Amino acid sequence: QLQLQESGPGLVKLSETLSLTCTVSGGSITTSNYYWGWIRQAPGKGLEWIGYIYHSGSTNYNPSLKSRVTISVDTSKNQFSLKLNSVTAADTAVHYCALYDVDFDAFTIWGQGRMVTVSS
Amino acid sequence: IQLTQSPSFLSASVGGRVTMTCRASQDVTSYLAWYQQKPGRAPNLLIYTASTLQSGVPSRFSGSGSGTEFTLTISSLQPDDFATYYCQQVNNYPFTFGPGTKVDIK
């Protein structure tokens, strides 16, 4: 069964870059119709879609974050990554990686989430 | 596209019927999903394309609607159902989520 696991620093300094990686196990990141996404949730708040990537490298980002976000994929490692630069306190959140399955038009599998705190 | 959910909070008894609504600021056809989230856990997909039950989700959950108005119904609330429920539209970029409906024990 396909599983996702986020990894990366839990603490990032103000104005620096947040970097997280999601490792896919139990399946291939090159599976057709699978997009690999990031969603975040600030403490006590709702969910915000950051963006997603196809194994070809094609991306789609939330315009609210587009100028600061890069999502990339490494098919050799079955991983995809998130980079968010120039972070502020507003970027403190649990970050989830998730599989968007086109056959379902929904995020069908989620990682457990990684809390990232922006500190001064 | 903005999604609004109502109510934002509801208190219900075990065995009771619960209905919550998600409204979109513009037509999202049937490209709407519902997720359940428990504290400290990742969201879990319940319903996709407005009314299709995800595999493994109990049949007491059902979704309906199209266009701009959608509902999620729990026919007989169970202790495991106390959680926050989010709708999400995937008809247009950027994908957006509603603010959630929290279901608590009465």
Side-chain angles (χ1 to χ4, degrees):
Chain A
Q1 183 178 348
L2 196 142
Q3 293 184 320
L4 306 178
Q5 177 68 59
E6 304 89 350
S7 60
L11 197 60
V12 180
K13 291 185 178 178
L14 201 63
S15 79
E16 296 192 347
T17 298
L18 179 160
S19 296
L20 293 175
T21 295
C22 184
T23 300
V24 179
S25 59
S28 174
I29 204 167
T30 60
T31 301
S32 295
N33 291 346
Y34 282 7
Y35 285 74
W36 305 96
W38 291 96
I39 296 116
R40 70 180 185 177
Q41 186 171 36
K45 303 295 185 182
L47 300 161
E48 180 180 29
W49 176 72
I50 298 171
Y52 64 19
I53 190 166
Y54 197 61
H55 63 78
S56 63
S58 172
T59 55
N60 204 298
Y61 299 133
N62 192 323
S64 67
L65 298 167
K66 188 173 182 177
S67 64
R68 299 193 292 130
V69 169
T70 302
I71 298 176
S72 58
V73 63
D74 186 335
T75 57
S76 67
K77 294 181 179 179
N78 231 31
Q79 294 177 332
F80 62 106
S81 299
L82 169 70
K83 290 190 185 299
L84 180 68
N85 59 37
S86 305
V87 297
T88 70
D91 296 312
T92 293
V94 176
H95 290 72
Y96 297 101
C97 59
L99 162 63
Y100 182 84
D101 189 331
V102 170
D103 290 338
F104 292 76
D105 293 305
F107 288 97
T108 55
I109 299 174
W110 296 62
Q112 66 184 27
R114 180 70 172 152
M115 178 66 197
V116 179
T117 301
V118 176
S119 70
S120 54
Chain B
I1 295 176
Q2 292 189 339
L3 300 179
T4 57
Q5 289 185 245
S6 59
S8 12
F9 178 85
L10 71 87
S11 188
S13 301
V14 172
R17 183 181 180 88
V18 166
T19 298
M20 61 193 78
T21 299
C22 176
R23 289 186 174 85
S25 59
Q26 60 190 77
D27 188 352
V28 298
T29 61
S30 293
Y31 290 104
L32 188 108
W34 290 94
Y35 301 86
Q36 177 193 67
Q37 186 179 35
K38 296 179 181 178
R41 304 286 299 273
N44 181 51
L45 178 66
L46 298 175
I47 302 281
Y48 59 95
T49 54
S51 61
T52 307
L53 194 68
Q54 170 68 328
S55 175
V57 174
S59 59
R60 62 182 179 271
F61 291 92
S62 64
S64 64
S66 66
T68 62
E69 188 154 335
F70 302 85
T71 58
L72 174 68
T73 299
I74 309 172
S75 60
S76 177
L77 198 66
Q78 298 302 301
D80 192 46
D81 302 337
F82 293 97
T84 300
Y85 294 84
Y86 293 96
C87 57
Q88 181 201 21
Q89 69 82 21
V90 294
N91 190 65
N92 291 88
Y93 294 119
F95 295 164
T96 48
F97 291 88
T101 292
K102 184 175 181 180
V103 177
D104 207 346
I105 302 172
K106 190 171 187 178

